Amino acid sequence: VNHLVPESYDKAVQELGLSPIERPKLSLVQADPGEPLIFTATVALRPEVNLGDYSSVEIEPEIIDVSDEAVDRVIAQLRESRATWEPKDGTVGADDMIIADIVMELGSDPESRNRRTERNGSEIIIGKNGFPPGFDSGVDGMSVGDTRKFAVIWPAVPQTGEDGEAEVAPREALFTVTVHELRHQSLPEVDDDFVKSVSEGQFETLNDLLADI
């Protein structure tokens, strides 16, 4: 039976030209010695799709009005995707990148010890780093080689309340930052070379790229 049923099922599928899309559910009806083997097979079949006459169907294309502001945003994103970070003289300012060692200590309370974390050689972009408010202003104006300590309020630190449930309480975080490198973002000019780069050779000129956007 274990051999005859699968073989008979496969033969029936081929003879009937069926296209099953799942394994069959088999049920034996008769398997007595000396009697013909009878079984049923239930299986889902691939549906037949008969397309009607669609040659006369007309579809109005959707016209999308792309504003100049939307085009400018796309170009700005493409420029940023090809931006490089170049060494910078002077002091830390908005949108700069610093390579720095950072030590952070969260203030303690009677029921917990200090939480101290150290990160060496971290790449940090001013304004886009995920640190709490006050960090960017804390490093503002620093130069390569400077070390500065400053405190900020970390707004979301897990802490256990009196009822035993987790709550969020602000705590003071003391940062020690040593700047090793200072870089600024260099954006490429929007010219034909830029267009060829971002489109991987698909477009040759800026007008071609703008038309595609």
Side-chain angles (χ1 to χ4, degrees):
V1 173
N2 291 337
H3 296 289
L4 286 176
V5 169
E7 291 177 359
S8 300
Y9 167 77
D10 291 340
K11 184 178 180 181
V13 168
Q14 293 178 1
E15 290 178 351
L16 296 174
L18 303 179
S19 299
I21 59 175
E22 65 177 8
R23 292 180 178 275
K25 295 179 181 179
L26 301 174
S27 177
L28 286 177
V29 177
Q30 178 176 278
D32 296 333
E35 298 292 336
L37 175 65
I38 302 175
F39 68 91
T40 62
T42 304
V43 65
L45 302 177
R46 182 179 293 112
E48 294 184 3
V49 179
N50 296 317
L51 295 178
D53 182 13
Y54 57 85
S55 60
S56 60
V57 177
E58 296 183 0
I59 300 176
E60 290 290 336
E62 181 181 359
I63 299 176
I64 301 176
D65 184 18
V66 180
S67 65
D68 292 342
E69 292 79 8
V71 173
D72 290 342
R73 285 195 299 270
V74 172
I75 295 297
Q77 292 171 355
L78 291 174
R79 292 184 72 198
E80 190 166 352
S81 71
R82 292 297 191 276
T84 58
W85 292 95
E86 306 295 338
K88 174 187 174 181
D89 296 326
T91 60
V92 177
D95 301 321
D96 286 342
M97 175 191 287
I98 60 174
I99 311 298
D101 296 340
I102 298 177
V103 178
M104 185 195 72
E105 296 178 274
L106 284 174
S108 62
D109 57 45
E111 297 182 358
S112 66
R113 294 177 295 178
N114 281 8
R115 297 184 184 180
R116 177 186 174 95
T117 58
E118 297 185 23
R119 295 168 56 185
N120 296 325
S122 297
E123 296 184 351
I124 302 165
I125 300 176
I126 306 305
K128 302 177 182 178
N129 50 58
F131 284 109
F135 178 87
D136 293 341
S137 59
V139 299
D140 187 60
M142 293 183 67
S143 300
V144 173
D146 286 351
T147 296
R148 183 181 293 178
K149 292 186 178 183
F150 55 90
V152 301
I153 299 299
W154 199 288
V157 177
Q159 184 174 332
T160 302
E162 294 181 357
D163 57 0
E165 296 182 358
E167 61 183 19
V168 174
R171 291 174 66 182
E172 184 179 78
L174 177 64
F175 283 90
T176 303
V177 179
T178 301
V179 177
H180 296 296
E181 296 182 41
L182 175 59
R183 303 175 184 176
H184 74 281
Q185 190 179 51
S186 177
L187 297 172
E189 295 293 332
V190 182
D191 53 20
D192 290 347
D193 289 336
F194 169 77
V195 170
K196 294 175 184 177
S197 174
V198 298
S199 68
E200 297 183 349
Q202 182 179 358
F203 303 113
E204 294 289 334
T205 67
L206 177 59
N207 288 335
D208 293 338
L209 177 62
L210 294 176
D212 184 69
I213 296 175

